[in-house]
């Protein structure tokens, strides 16, 4: 079996990310569900920012911090998240073809945090991925996501 390295296809990145969101729901949101239900009463709907209490902000920040930790540590230690593992995708530095350092992994995943200026990337990263084939944060940090495809030569 031979292996070919390609730029990851955007649809695979999207599905891998969606799978990661399911994993995060199971390992982060479910353990916090009791705490969240008592802090965010049913039927309250979305509140205006001025109506959210300090405790609610703390819960939101903790949850998103765990999400950031999930993506950063898996990117740094394995070069891929669980969703990326399923699709054979890897995060690598642009020129070196190795896993980026911890700080780069942290920065490339900081877009998950619901704070300014990172929330801007919630729109720009997917748009850039669809138009250019790579996220804006990947371009800025000189990293990219590759796909390793195995094939047999007949």
């Amino acid at each position: 079996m031979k292996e070919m390295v390609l730029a990851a296809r955007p649809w695979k990145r999207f599905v891998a990310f969606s799978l990661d969101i399911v994993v995060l729901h199971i390992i982060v949101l479910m353990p916090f569900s009791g705490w969240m239900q008592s802090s965010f009463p049913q039927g309250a709907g979305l509140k205006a920012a001025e109506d959210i209490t300090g405790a609610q902000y703390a819960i939101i920040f903790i949850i998103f911090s765990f999400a950031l930790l999930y993506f950063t540590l898996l990117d740094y230690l394995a070069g891929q998240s669980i969703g990326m593992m399923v699709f054979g995708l890897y995060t690598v530095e642009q020129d070196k073809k190795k896993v980026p350092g911890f700080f780069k992994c942290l920065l490339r995943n900081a877009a998950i945090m619901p704070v300014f200026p990172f929330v801007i990337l919630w729109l720009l990263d997917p748009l850039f991925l669809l138009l250019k084939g790579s996220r804006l944060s990947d371009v800025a940090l000189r990293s990219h996501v590759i796909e390793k495809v195995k094939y047999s030569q007949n």
Side-chain angles (χ1 to χ4, degrees):
M1 282 293 237
K2 290 195 171 203
E3 188 174 77
M4 186 170 33
V5 176
L6 308 166
R9 289 174 268 186
W11 75 265
K12 281 192 173 185
R13 291 185 68 176
F14 175 76
V15 176
F17 180 73
S18 299
L19 182 57
D20 285 323
I21 297 302
V22 171
V23 170
L24 281 169
H25 178 77
I26 293 167
I27 65 172
V28 175
L29 287 180
M30 287 176 80
F32 281 99
S33 65
W35 194 18
M36 288 175 56
Q37 285 177 353
S38 65
S39 295
F40 296 92
Q42 287 238 303
L46 293 175
K47 294 181 172 184
E50 62 269 6
D51 294 336
I52 296 177
T53 67
Q56 291 168 330
Y57 272 121
I59 292 169
I60 292 167
F61 183 78
I62 290 167
I63 289 169
F64 278 96
S65 294
F66 277 123
L68 178 61
L69 193 62
Y70 167 85
F71 285 110
T72 300
L73 287 179
L74 285 174
D75 260 4
Y76 176 66
L77 297 173
Q80 55 189 166
S81 65
I82 292 171
M84 292 171 79
M85 288 177 194
V86 170
F87 288 94
L89 306 179
Y90 297 83
T91 302
V92 294
E93 286 195 28
Q94 205 163 38
D95 300 331
K96 300 174 187 161
K97 305 295 184 220
K98 67 175 188 168
V99 174
F102 180 80
F103 189 66
K104 269 192 179 180
C105 288
L106 179 69
L107 285 177
R108 75 179 295 279
N109 292 301
I112 199 90
M113 295 303 286
V115 294
F116 186 82
F118 301 121
V119 293
I120 295 170
L121 292 174
W122 289 5
L123 284 175
L124 292 181
D125 263 355
L127 186 62
F128 217 77
L129 179 63
L130 288 172
L131 297 175
K132 302 286 185 177
S134 193
R135 289 177 18 198
L136 179 59
S137 52
D138 285 338
V139 172
L141 295 167
R142 300 184 47 76
S143 65
H144 62 274
V145 177
I146 60 168
E147 177 179 354
K148 292 183 180 179
V149 179
K150 293 182 186 207
Y151 66 96
S152 62
Q153 189 174 10
N154 291 332

